[in-house]
Every structure is written in C-alpha cells, then in structure tokens.
Amino acid sequence: MKIATKKINIKDEVFTLTNQRALFWEKEKALILSDLHIGKTAHFRKNGIAISNQIFENDLQRLSILIEYFQPEKFIVVGDLLHAGDNSEVDEFCSWKNQYPDLQFYLIEGNHDKISKKLESKLCLNYRSKSLEINDFIFVHDFEKEQSKFQITGHVHPGFVINSAVKKIKLPCFVISENQLLLPAFSKFTGLDTKNLPKKGRFYVFTDAEIYEV
C-alpha cells in the first residue's frame, strides 16, 4: 500500500490529505477520518448476501499503516463508525484497537451510530458527542448551515467523475470550500456521491498512487 500525501493550509493550520481516505492534523497529532461503517459486510452476510470479510480486514490494515506512518495521539472519527449496531466486525475492531492503548479515541456521532451503553463500553471511547470543537474548527458528521465555525464533516461519501476516452470513472475525493472540509468515506465498501457536494469547492481526487487537485 502506497501512502501519497498533500499538505494544505486551513486557517493557518497544516493538514495532510492522504490517498488512503484519511486526514492528518499536524498540530493536534490527530488522524481524522469518517464513515468506516464497521459491520456493514457482516450485516449483509447476516441477510444472505455473500460479501467477503476481506473488505473490512483491508480497512483495518490501512488504518494500522496510517497509524504507524503518522504516529497520532488522537483518532477522530467524524461519524458513522458503525453501520448496523453490534456484530462480529465490531468485536474484531475492538480487538484491533486494543493494540493502541495510548491512542485517544474520539467519536462524533453519525446517523448510523446507534450505540447502547454496553456497546459504548466495549468500544472504549474517550469522547462521544454530536460535535467536537478544537480551536477554530468544529467536527460534525453532516454539514450544519447555521454553524459559524469551519466544519470538518463526512456523511456524503464524495466522489468526482473523470471522463476518459472510453468511459466515465468515479474516484473518491476531499472537497474544500470556504467553510467546510468534506472527508471521503474511509470504507471502500461505500458508494460515491457526485452531486450533493459543497458549491465552489476545491476537489482533491485520489487514486491508489496519487492525489490530484482538480
């Protein structure tokens, strides 16, 4: 797995975009991502749809490589950590997470995060809320029109269409506008929305090898 990076500056803070669907905030030593949808493939299998568990295991492997690469102190999930409550993949995630006992785990709740007290205890969260404010930034799962602070959000699973000579190709991306940084979905087992995106945004589209500003 290759990690390609691109540094950007927002409100005098340096953030590093990666082609592995995550963001690193240097000052806060925070690895930031959204929409892991843990348990989605297990949920499909439970309902009779044959989806390989390898998809989820690959997501965990990418997370491990990013943690080794950036050495973060904070792990911030901007919503939809889970997909369908508690299941076998949640157990697998918790076992994986136990490798990093010093990593502070922040969850900004998304629309899929239906978490009981028992499940919250299992996940060992350091912080759980609908939003998180750090300096001039606020983390929320979905964009809030009335919010005055710069928002770092997820939820939309943004994608960008590239027209080639043969066919149209959809690629995941980050989108940055005047008051929002929209994160890609971390899980590769998600669709891409190419329509419900911030207006007048700058698109940072990525492949397995590179990041391009378009």
Side-chain angles (χ1 to χ4, degrees):
M1 183 186 94
K2 177 182 178 181
I3 298 180
T5 62
K6 188 174 186 65
K7 292 184 184 294
I8 59 171
N9 191 288
I10 302 174
K11 293 188 174 293
D12 298 322
E13 294 281 355
V14 177
F15 292 87
T16 303
L17 309 179
T18 78
N19 66 328
Q20 298 302 326
R21 301 174 177 240
L23 173 78
F24 184 67
W25 185 359
E26 293 191 2
K27 183 179 178 181
E28 293 295 323
K29 296 184 179 179
L31 184 64
I32 304 163
L33 45 103
S34 183
D35 296 275
L36 279 81
H37 288 277
I38 294 167
K40 187 173 182 179
T41 57
H43 178 70
F44 273 56
R45 288 193 298 274
K46 182 179 178 181
N47 288 277
I49 302 172
I51 302 293
S52 172
N53 188 51
Q54 190 63 46
I55 297 170
F56 175 61
E57 291 177 356
N58 289 345
D59 285 345
L60 290 184
Q61 182 180 32
R62 284 166 46 232
L63 273 177
S64 292
I65 293 171
L66 286 165
I67 289 170
E68 292 170 9
Y69 185 88
F70 287 110
Q71 295 293 304
E73 295 177 358
K74 300 183 182 76
F75 178 50
I76 301 176
V77 179
V78 192
D80 285 358
L81 170 69
L82 307 181
H83 183 77
D86 198 358
N87 61 28
S88 60
E89 284 184 7
V90 176
D91 293 332
E92 190 173 345
F93 174 78
C94 291
S95 295
W96 168 87
K97 180 180 170 292
N98 288 339
Q99 302 173 78
Y100 310 100
D102 297 327
L103 190 60
Q104 297 292 300
F105 187 8
Y106 295 74
L107 174 61
I108 291 81
E109 294 175 341
N111 51 296
H112 278 273
D113 292 316
K114 312 301 183 186
I115 301 175
S116 65
K117 288 186 177 180
K118 181 180 179 181
L119 181 52
E120 181 175 10
S121 177
K122 178 193 287 190
L123 290 167
C124 296
L125 303 172
N126 297 103
Y127 178 93
R128 173 191 173 192
S129 184
K130 294 291 186 183
S131 64
L132 170 66
E133 292 189 34
I134 303 177
N135 300 333
D136 294 326
F137 301 90
I138 185 166
F139 297 85
V140 289
H141 184 55
D142 196 8
F143 183 75
E144 298 177 353
K145 292 182 179 179
E146 304 303 319
Q147 177 57 242
S148 59
K149 285 197 170 188
F150 189 93
Q151 300 179 57
I152 298 176
T153 71
H155 184 58
V156 176
H157 309 176
F160 188 87
V161 176
I162 294 177
N163 293 305
S164 72
V166 179
K167 62 179 180 178
K168 291 183 178 181
I169 301 171
K170 283 186 181 181
L171 293 173
C173 62
F174 296 85
V175 188
I176 303 173
S177 61
E178 183 179 359
N179 59 350
Q180 180 185 14
L181 167 54
L182 174 59
L183 302 172
F186 186 81
S187 173
K188 292 187 176 182
F189 189 39
T190 56
L192 296 176
D193 189 337
T194 60
K195 296 179 180 179
N196 298 302
L197 304 178
K199 295 180 179 179
K200 298 181 180 179
R202 302 196 315 274
F203 290 78
Y204 292 87
V205 179
F206 52 87
T207 65
D208 289 339
E210 300 291 342
I211 301 175
Y212 307 91
E213 183 177 359
V214 296

